[in-house]
Amino acid sequence: MEYEAVIGLEVHVQLKTQSKMFTRARCAYGEAPNTLTNPVVMALPGALPVMNKEAIRKTVQVGLMLGCEIAQSCKWDRKNYFYPDSPKNYQISQYDQPICDGGFVEIEMPGPSRNVMGEHRKVKLTRIHLEEDVGKLTHYDGESLVDYNRAGRPLIEIVSEPDLFSADEAFAYLTSLRTHLLYLGVSDCDMEKGQLRCDANISVRPKGQKELGVKVEIKNLNSISGVRNGITYEIKRQIALCQKGEGASIVQETRSWDADKGITFSMRSKEMAHDYRYFPDPDLMPVRVSEEIKKTLADALPERPFAKQERFMKEYNLPYTITSVLCPDKALSDYFESAVKAHNNPKAIANFIANDLLRELSNAGCDMAHPLEGCKIQPEALAELAKLVDEGMISKQIAQDVLVIMFETGDAPEKIVEEKGLKQSSDTGELESICSEVIANNPKPVQEFKDGKDTAINALKGQVMKATKGKANPKMVDDILRKLLS
Amino acid sequence: MAEDKNSIDIDYVANLARIDLSQEEKDRFQKQLGDVLVYFEKLSAVDVEGVEPMAHPFPVYNVLEEDVVEEGFTAEEALMNAKHQRNNQVIVPKVVE
Amino acid sequence: MTTMTEHLFYKTATELSALLEKKEITSVELTKAFIERTKATDDSVKAFLSYDEADALAQAEASDKRRAEGKPLSALDGVPVSLKDNMAVTGQPHTCASKILEHYVSPYDAHITEQLKKAGVVLWGRLNLDEFAMGSSTENSAFQTTANPWDLERIPGGSSGGSAASLAAGQTPLSLGSDTGGSIRQPASLCGIVGMKPTYGLISRYGLAAFASSLDQIGPFAHTIKDVALLLGIIAGHDRRDSTSYKTEIPNYVEALESKKGPWTIGVPKEYFGEGLDPEVKASVEKAIAFYKDQGCTIKEVSIPKLDLALPTYYIIATAEASSNLARYDGIRYTHRSEDTKNAIDVYFKSREEGFSEEVKRRIILGTYVLSSGYYDAYYLKAQKVRTLIREDFMKAFESCDVLITPTTPTTAFKRGEKSADPLQMYLSDIYTISVNLSGLPGLSLPCGYSSEGLPIGLQLIGKPYEEAELLSIAHAFESAHDYSAKHPEL
Ligand SMILES: [Mg+2]
Ligand SMILES: [Zn+2]
């Protein structure tokens, strides 16, 4: 029998705010332990929560971006459970009135090849709610240490419907969701820093069956590859049990992904009595999001990433492959458009960015989540470089070298071309003598060309370019060679 | 749970509340809280059709603060009452998963 | 010195303020008088959990310096005020009368503490209470049982028993308590002093260890209504650190006492005068009603039909909230940690077993139960809805009345140990006070007589939301015409 997997993802995303969700203690990453707390974060007797306006705004922005219904009124609930990383031993969350209801994440499924756009599909969301993060436990032999710096940071939980059917789709979902959130700038979504965390609910069923199988929750999928590998493993495990006729031994449980061993294992359910005793937090008042605020936030939404990609392909006539490099990064695609505005050669500029600039950024060890941060080349300067090529001042090959120098020094391209004497040679006399020399020294391609093999001229051109260190204008070289050989 | 609706499953609830109770305490609470629950039965007869639950004495909305950082504790202040600490962190015995 | 002291410790805060103002005494002299009185009487009253003599005298010195420079911070600059030990003061213990917080020292100030410091008062001792304010007799303190100064065999009421007893014993001229179901008004009544629970939200709860968040409210104890008005004016007002703190103009409560003069329409809710009410208490309250009538007030019988539902509603809501509020006392970050633990789970189970006393455990169990899976709708949600109905009863009564008048407690102070074996009987002693918390209304208790045994009897006045000025004026009218407040126990 053939089986299919059904997957739903619960994604927790840390919102990028200055202060915490329910108190104004600072939010930061990588600070010395327990230096970002106050009475509220430490849950001292008498401490009380007060909401962070910005966290609410950011959550509404996410909801609007993902097509959710924004609740007119929502409230805060306490989720009661004991854990050493949870200072109050309850988490302030939203139980039956999330800020955002429904919605979807548009995903692109893998295409037949890297150069062909895959099919797009909307993955349904159940809800998005806002809550607070917990502290961080570090485990040692026989004991654990707790740092409460992270405790109380605003966290949104984005819950998808069981609307994903393979590890690849789950991966595409997560990638797209991340791109959307990065476009909004509400989070840096760095999984390594725990800014984006993913749990998966996975079940399998015979293909064609409507009812869902027994659901297993997988935790600790702590990296993008972990999500893919962990889900792949779990689906295989469940299908193997079904095929052995042991489908009944799939129990509803929580399992943890062990990335080192490449397996999921059962987390003993004894400690996880799921009776959270949710009740409305009496310390907090409900939230109402006015139509006015909704409209203001909606008007300020950025263009959605897939819409932008489609526009880039149409408006700039760019191939899919290059747009799929530019568009997932809002800053990069904006950079591209600024450059194009300064010099209208989209293709050349896109190539400079996707090939040369990104290579240099990566070699320089830039944070590829924000590759342009600290990039010394302004989009206008890149446009200028493309313009120099288009005006025949330098060759494409030279331009690539100029870009490397621009990247290092931040100097204007003209200045580099001038100082390094890289200007294309347009001296006809000098070029004619070099060409004559090349023709004399390369009888073989000369003969071939004369026998009618037109492409043989390229070998001669290459020799001329070599002799001029690339400074010759390729068009002129072509003209002169043809004239001399005719 | 227990068939008698005025009987608390003390073991289950004490586990949720994370409190060890002696057998004596369990027996006493069972009896006393049973009486209290009988007293609570007064409520079951009340018609609350269409009545809004009251979570706050005075309904106010959107008590929000601007996202502006304020100075908090130093690690020493944060942990001044933590008897078990190392490297400015709180020590807990092994957390069993 | 003895005579000086004697006539200082039962003076009202208003009188002490005048003496300081006229430079007839210094704050240091005053503070010493209360220190001496406390030392002389607290072996028998046991109202104080702790105090720091040197610190109090240093505060007094600073106050005297301000007064000498003609720069007092308020009328109460230099007057001692003592706090129930569930309010945070930087560097001081904050035990909530619980073993679980026995060694905890607060690293921060409550909002009321900040307000009092700004007013220049001398923060005097820390007062006993029922552990985490759970109780009606102060017998549930993990450290000591406070006695009623009028009869040391009797309870002072609770949970703010230390706050009431210390004041009645002349150990402090002002004190603060907290009132979740009557914990200010009931001990005030039983100790023959004035105690007020303001409208929910009038005083910030920031820094008050929570018992039941939607019911808790801090309030003053004093010998007179005027003293209450004075202290209330200092601690009331909006605080952005408490989301339930109400934004309202704070009137000058002292001035309002004289400016607001009836005649008022006074509602008498008949349900408060039925079965269980001690005849002597009833007679005293009826005498008070007659007084108002003589003054030209309109007396109107009103009804709070849902009153008998208040107790179950209260105990469901209060214990549910408490079960969650007290989860933070877990043995991990700052509370007592059991030494007998193998893993993190043990830390919870054993530390809480060792750190909480019986009544607290009982309420946590009850509160956990009413919230647990399958019971939420029948208990918690139902109680929240009934709470709406109870509040509606009150608001309806207030459509035709300025104030409601009731006894504060069904009986005078009972003997120690009398009700401690039967939680339900103990819970019933709050029967007249809890509906005020459920409705969020302001209420106060003031002395209105003494029983044949010489025990104080209290009168409860319940006001409209945020109409504290009116409520105080109405009480002041009664107090000015009687001398109940001038009577003190012999110790
Ligand atoms: Mg979840
Ligand atoms: Zn969550």
Side-chain angles (χ1 to χ4, degrees):
Chain A
M1 199 185 299
E2 231 189 301
Y3 289 88
E4 93 176 329
V6 183
I7 306 158
L9 293 187
E10 277 176 28
V11 178
H12 284 91
V13 179
Q14 250 179 25
L15 294 181
K16 209 159 71 174
T17 52
Q18 301 297 310
S19 68
K20 300 201 180 190
M21 183 62 232
F22 295 110
T23 183
R24 304 291 75 77
R26 189 160 67 93
C27 291
Y29 181 82
E31 297 287 311
N34 291 307
T35 53
L36 305 174
T37 77
N38 66 10
V40 182
V41 177
M42 295 305 285
L44 297 186
L48 293 170
V50 184
M51 274 178 268
N52 185 335
K53 191 176 181 177
E54 186 58 26
I56 308 246
R57 277 172 53 100
K58 287 196 156 75
T59 309
V60 172
Q61 280 180 298
V62 174
L64 291 168
M65 184 85 163
L66 300 179
C68 304
E69 190 82 44
I70 308 299
Q72 285 185 334
S73 176
C74 61
K75 66 175 169 71
W76 303 99
D77 300 285
R78 292 186 183 179
K79 180 182 183 181
N80 294 284
Y81 68 96
F82 283 80
Y83 212 74
D85 59 8
S86 168
K88 298 185 292 297
N89 290 313
Y90 60 81
Q91 180 193 31
I92 305 176
S93 182
Q94 299 187 301
Y95 180 52
D96 55 351
Q97 294 179 16
I99 295 191
C100 312
D101 202 52
F104 60 88
V105 174
E106 185 176 339
I107 64 167
E108 179 185 343
M109 319 258 269
S113 91
R114 276 180 47 145
N115 304 328
V116 181
M117 192 190 335
E119 193 188 316
H120 280 220
R121 179 163 84 75
K122 288 176 176 179
V123 177
K124 283 194 218 90
L125 294 180
T126 310
R127 58 186 276 169
I128 303 173
H129 69 252
L130 185 52
E131 58 189 26
E132 55 176 347
D133 209 342
V134 293
K136 201 172 179 321
L137 277 165
T138 315
H139 302 289
Y140 297 90
D141 260 358
E143 64 184 28
S144 306
L145 295 184
V146 204
D147 170 14
Y148 296 98
N149 279 353
R150 196 178 71 181
R153 284 192 74 144
L155 206 58
I156 50 172
E157 183 175 329
I158 303 164
V159 184
S160 86
E161 291 283 290
D163 194 21
L164 295 159
F165 303 95
S166 69
D168 279 346
E169 283 192 19
F171 179 78
Y173 168 85
L174 205 61
T175 310
S176 172
L177 177 60
R178 193 170 163 277
T179 301
H180 280 82
L181 297 171
L182 287 171
Y183 258 60
L184 281 170
V186 295
S187 173
D188 289 339
C189 298
D190 188 334
M191 284 191 91
E192 261 166 47
K193 290 180 180 168
Q195 291 162 344
L196 188 150
R197 284 163 260 164
C198 179
D199 301 334
N201 291 309
I202 302 172
S203 62
V204 297
R205 64 182 171 194
K207 237 188 178 136
Q209 180 182 302
K210 255 199 130 150
E211 309 86 74
L212 294 172
V214 176
K215 184 178 83 176
V216 176
E217 187 177 0
I218 311 296
K219 292 203 175 286
N220 293 322
L221 302 167
N222 290 334
S223 66
I224 290 265
S225 65
V227 172
R228 189 176 238 161
N229 298 339
I231 293 175
T232 303
Y233 173 88
E234 180 60 20
I235 292 171
K236 273 195 196 140
R237 186 188 73 89
Q238 290 186 21
I239 290 179
L241 283 172
C242 289
Q243 281 168 341
K244 268 198 274 170
E246 288 170 18
S249 62
I250 300 174
V251 279
Q252 182 162 350
E253 62 176 348
T254 301
R255 298 176 72 87
S256 180
W257 167 243
D258 183 329
D260 295 334
K261 292 187 190 146
I263 55 161
T264 65
F265 62 93
S266 180
M267 295 166 86
R268 263 175 288 152
S269 51
K270 188 178 132 244
E271 310 305 341
M272 316 194 71
H274 287 294
D275 189 344
Y276 292 126
R277 290 156 285 134
Y278 280 102
F279 75 104
D281 192 327
D283 288 328
L284 288 162
M285 296 303 190
V287 181
R288 281 183 176 174
V289 183
S290 71
E291 288 304 317
E292 205 184 316
I293 287 172
K294 253 190 272 179
K295 190 174 180 309
T296 313
L297 292 176
D299 289 348
L301 284 184
E303 184 178 19
R304 287 174 175 76
F306 286 128
K308 194 175 208 175
Q309 185 172 13
E310 209 180 296
R311 183 168 63 78
F312 274 24
M313 289 194 282
K314 269 202 197 123
E315 194 176 320
Y316 302 117
N317 206 16
L318 295 178
Y320 163 77
T321 10
I322 208 153
T323 59
S324 61
V325 173
L326 295 179
C327 292
D329 188 317
K330 180 168 186 295
L332 207 60
S333 51
D334 289 345
Y335 183 98
F336 162 79
E337 291 208 279
S338 301
V340 170
K341 214 170 268 169
H343 176 67
N344 191 14
N345 186 346
K347 214 158 242 167
I349 288 170
N351 279 320
F352 275 134
I353 296 173
N355 301 325
D356 303 287
L357 187 59
L358 282 181
R359 182 196 60 234
E360 290 308 311
L361 287 162
S362 160
N363 289 346
C366 290
D367 174 7
M368 291 315 277
H370 311 276
L372 288 176
E373 260 172 30
C375 172
K376 288 185 190 150
I377 305 179
Q378 293 308 305
E380 293 72 23
L382 192 73
E384 198 54 46
L385 183 67
K387 200 172 156 202
L388 291 180
V389 176
D390 288 345
E391 288 171 348
M393 294 291 276
I394 53 172
S395 67
K396 243 188 227 164
Q397 191 193 334
I398 291 286
Q400 288 172 335
D401 298 340
V402 172
L403 186 139
V404 173
I405 301 168
M406 289 167 74
F407 185 82
E408 275 163 14
T409 63
D411 285 347
E414 300 93 322
K415 186 176 172 231
I416 296 166
V417 168
E418 196 66 47
E419 277 177 8
K420 306 245 162 181
L422 297 173
K423 223 180 206 168
Q424 227 161 209
S425 172
S426 316
D427 183 330
T428 325
E430 195 194 331
L431 266 186
E432 271 191 10
S433 74
I434 293 171
C435 287
S436 304
E437 214 173 296
V438 167
I439 287 169
N441 293 339
N442 292 281
K444 197 168 164 246
V446 170
Q447 194 51 52
E448 280 172 10
F449 179 77
K450 285 186 172 165
D451 291 346
K453 192 182 169 195
D454 196 61
T455 53
I457 201 167
N458 291 339
L460 299 172
K461 271 201 245 173
Q463 291 297 320
V464 178
M465 294 312 281
K466 202 172 158 190
T468 60
K469 297 199 177 84
K471 282 189 284 181
N473 182 329
K475 179 82 180 59
M476 280 176 71
V477 175
D478 191 78
D479 290 348
I480 294 167
L481 283 173
R482 282 177 197 280
K483 193 182 82 193
L484 292 175
L485 290 170
S486 65
Chain B
M1 230 145 286
E3 316 80 64
D4 181 357
K5 66 173 176 171
N6 292 322
S7 164
I8 292 183
D9 182 343
I10 293 275
D11 287 319
Y12 176 78
V13 178
N15 181 52
L16 280 181
R18 297 285 189 261
I19 302 180
D20 267 346
L21 297 175
S22 65
Q23 192 54 47
E24 215 182 293
E25 272 176 317
K26 283 182 195 171
D27 295 344
R28 193 162 57 243
F29 286 5
Q30 185 86 55
K31 157 90 184 62
Q32 290 169 331
L33 296 178
D35 291 350
V36 170
L37 292 183
V38 170
Y39 188 73
F40 284 1
E41 267 179 31
K42 276 186 181 189
L43 290 188
S44 55
V46 186
D47 181 11
V48 290
E49 185 71 35
V51 177
E52 279 294 308
M54 178 170 159
H56 298 99
F58 301 99
V60 178
Y61 292 88
N62 293 355
V63 182
L64 302 160
E65 277 196 332
E66 295 299 332
D67 184 26
V68 177
V69 172
E70 282 166 26
E71 205 186 323
F73 282 156
T74 60
E76 291 69 33
E77 284 170 316
L79 302 180
M80 66 181 261
N81 289 287
K83 230 174 102 186
H84 302 80
Q85 53 170 294
R86 193 175 75 222
N87 301 338
N88 282 332
Q89 297 189 65
V90 177
I91 302 172
V92 285
K94 190 134 200 94
V95 180
V96 281
E97 285 288 338
Chain C
M1 195 63 207
T2 323
T3 35
M4 177 70 168
T5 302
E6 255 168 31
H7 65 249
L8 279 182
F9 63 70
Y10 274 128
K11 285 214 181 309
T12 68
T14 305
E15 289 164 345
L16 295 175
S17 165
L19 291 174
L20 288 167
E21 171 71 27
K22 285 184 273 175
K23 308 240 164 20
E24 286 180 23
I25 49 163
T26 64
S27 174
V28 168
E29 285 167 344
L30 192 60
T31 304
K32 276 184 179 161
F34 285 104
I35 291 171
E36 268 175 45
R37 173 66 175 176
T38 301
K39 284 183 171 169
T41 53
D42 212 43
D43 281 347
S44 51
V45 179
K46 291 192 160 43
F48 284 80
L49 285 178
S50 64
Y51 51 74
D52 184 340
E53 230 179 292
D55 177 58
L57 288 170
Q59 295 177 61
E61 259 173 58
S63 168
D64 285 335
K65 201 166 158 236
R66 287 192 295 270
R67 292 253 181 208
E69 288 166 357
K71 288 176 187 160
L73 296 168
S74 75
L76 289 182
D77 198 324
V79 176
V81 178
S82 300
L83 305 182
K84 186 177 181 177
D85 207 27
N86 59 354
M87 302 171 196
V89 179
T90 306
Q92 285 194 10
H94 184 183
T95 68
C96 300
S98 179
K99 269 199 270 182
I100 211 157
L101 284 168
E102 187 170 3
H103 303 292
Y104 171 75
V105 173
S106 181
Y108 80 107
D109 277 339
H111 177 74
I112 52 104
T113 306
E114 288 176 358
Q115 296 301 101
L116 291 170
K117 284 181 174 174
K118 274 186 226 161
V121 309
V122 172
L123 288 168
W124 172 216
R126 305 304 305 258
L127 300 162
N128 198 20
L129 62 148
D130 285 301
E131 184 172 332
F132 289 107
M134 294 179 181
S136 309
S137 66
T138 317
E139 290 168 291
N140 296 334
S141 166
F143 304 121
Q144 65 197 35
T145 306
T146 300
N148 190 318
W150 293 89
D151 177 350
L152 299 175
E153 297 298 303
R154 292 176 189 270
I155 57 100
S159 62
S160 311
S163 304
S166 63
L167 205 112
Q171 301 168 330
T172 187
L174 292 168
S175 63
L176 290 185
S178 63
D179 189 317
T180 306
S183 287
I184 292 175
R185 292 157 290 153
Q186 185 252 22
S189 169
L190 303 185
C191 289
I193 55 170
V194 183
M196 180 187 215
K197 180 205 96 76
T199 313
Y200 182 84
L202 186 74
I203 298 169
S204 169
R205 294 182 292 119
Y206 187 77
L208 170 72
F211 162 16
S213 313
S214 75
L215 300 160
D216 295 343
Q217 184 60 197
I218 292 172
F221 285 95
H223 292 294
T224 64
I225 291 293
K226 195 170 179 184
D227 283 5
V228 163
L230 206 54
L231 187 50
L232 184 65
I234 286 168
I235 58 174
H238 181 249
D239 173 23
R240 60 178 190 79
R241 294 166 301 185
D242 175 358
S243 304
T244 62
S245 166
Y246 193 70
K247 281 183 186 155
T248 181
E249 278 296 311
I250 302 302
N252 185 322
Y253 294 116
V254 178
E255 279 174 16
L257 293 184
E258 306 298 338
S259 63
K260 297 206 178 204
K261 286 193 177 2
W264 297 285
T265 302
I266 294 180
V268 181
K270 59 180 182 204
E271 290 81 2
Y272 283 79
F273 295 83
E275 208 190 321
L277 177 59
D278 179 282
E280 282 191 305
V281 174
K282 191 177 180 195
S284 289
V285 175
E286 280 171 348
K287 241 172 75 190
I289 296 168
F291 162 81
Y292 282 112
K293 197 173 177 193
D294 288 347
Q295 298 296 302
C297 295
T298 307
I299 308 298
K300 200 169 177 279
E301 189 185 272
V302 294
S303 176
I304 306 291
K306 297 282 189 298
L307 186 70
D308 69 321
L309 300 176
L311 202 68
T313 302
Y314 171 82
Y315 274 95
I316 290 167
I317 290 171
T319 57
E321 291 181 5
S323 71
S324 175
N325 284 333
L326 270 62
R328 65 188 58 194
Y329 308 122
D330 59 2
I332 304 287
R333 295 167 313 288
Y334 55 83
T335 41
H336 161 78
R337 182 184 293 187
S338 171
E339 296 301 330
D340 177 27
T341 59
K342 289 185 292 293
N343 57 49
I345 304 294
D346 277 356
V347 173
Y348 298 140
F349 279 103
K350 299 227 165 79
S351 305
R352 287 160 69 79
E353 177 195 23
E354 295 165 14
F356 289 141
S357 53
E358 178 161 330
E359 180 62 17
V360 174
K361 289 179 193 165
R362 186 159 40 230
R363 294 204 195 188
I364 290 174
I365 295 293
L366 183 58
T368 304
Y369 172 75
V370 298
L371 289 175
S372 67
S373 176
Y375 295 97
Y376 180 84
D377 287 2
Y379 290 114
Y380 192 74
L381 188 62
K382 187 71 179 272
Q384 277 196 320
K385 291 179 177 176
V386 176
R387 187 175 179 183
T388 302
L389 297 176
I390 293 169
R391 181 178 160 79
E392 280 171 4
D393 278 0
F394 277 92
M395 296 324 280
K396 188 153 178 289
F398 279 119
E399 282 171 14
S400 58
C401 303
D402 299 308
V403 71
L404 303 181
I405 194 166
T406 79
T408 310
T409 59
T411 65
T412 52
F414 47 89
K415 291 248 169 72
R416 291 200 217 174
E418 199 179 308
K419 297 187 180 177
S420 37
D422 187 348
L424 191 54
Q425 279 312 305
M426 187 70 92
Y427 297 171
L428 283 164
S429 65
D430 289 333
I431 189 102
Y432 297 148
T433 47
I434 50 177
S435 54
V436 173
N437 301 75
L438 287 171
S439 310
L441 301 168
L444 62 79
S445 178
L446 77 161
C448 71
Y450 292 85
S451 71
S452 49
E453 292 175 293
L455 295 170
I457 294 169
L459 178 71
Q460 179 174 231
L461 296 174
I462 304 167
K464 294 179 183 173
Y466 303 106
E467 297 286 354
E468 276 77 8
E470 179 108 86
L471 184 63
L472 288 165
S473 309
I474 297 169
H476 184 62
F478 178 84
E479 186 188 70
S480 320
H482 298 84
D483 58 0
Y484 300 122
S485 298
K487 223 180 142 187
H488 303 296
E490 272 168 43
L491 275 171

